Amino acid sequence: MAYVQNVAEQFGKAALYVDKILKGAKPADLPIEQPTKFELIINLKTAKALGITVPDKLLATADEVIE
């Protein structure tokens, strides 16, 4: 299982930082932003190999399930 920030959002924020720097902003003056969207990813193949049963309720809330 992994609870990670949304990769697309991460790249979008990185692009905004690059844009601001290319327009003359000093990197030291740019604020540090916290991620706002997270994804729950569950790997059922690994869970089964380890003998772990993942509850259906948890699977239903997952953003991605690897089978």
Side-chain angles (χ1 to χ4, degrees):
M1 254 189 313
Y3 194 59
V4 296
Q5 80 180 49
N6 182 286
V7 176
E9 180 183 11
Q10 179 182 1
F11 285 124
K13 285 185 179 184
L16 291 175
Y17 272 87
V18 170
D19 182 56
K20 289 177 185 179
I21 293 168
L22 291 175
K23 289 181 178 176
K26 295 180 182 177
D29 295 338
L30 296 175
I32 296 174
E33 296 182 23
Q34 295 289 330
T36 56
K37 184 175 180 190
F38 292 88
E39 294 178 340
L40 176 61
I41 302 170
I42 299 173
N43 189 328
L44 281 180
K45 183 178 179 182
T46 302
K48 287 177 185 176
L50 295 172
I52 299 171
T53 303
V54 181
D56 290 336
K57 236 179 185 181
L58 187 58
L59 289 172
T61 61
D63 294 296
E64 182 180 344
V65 177
I66 301 168
E67 298 195 37

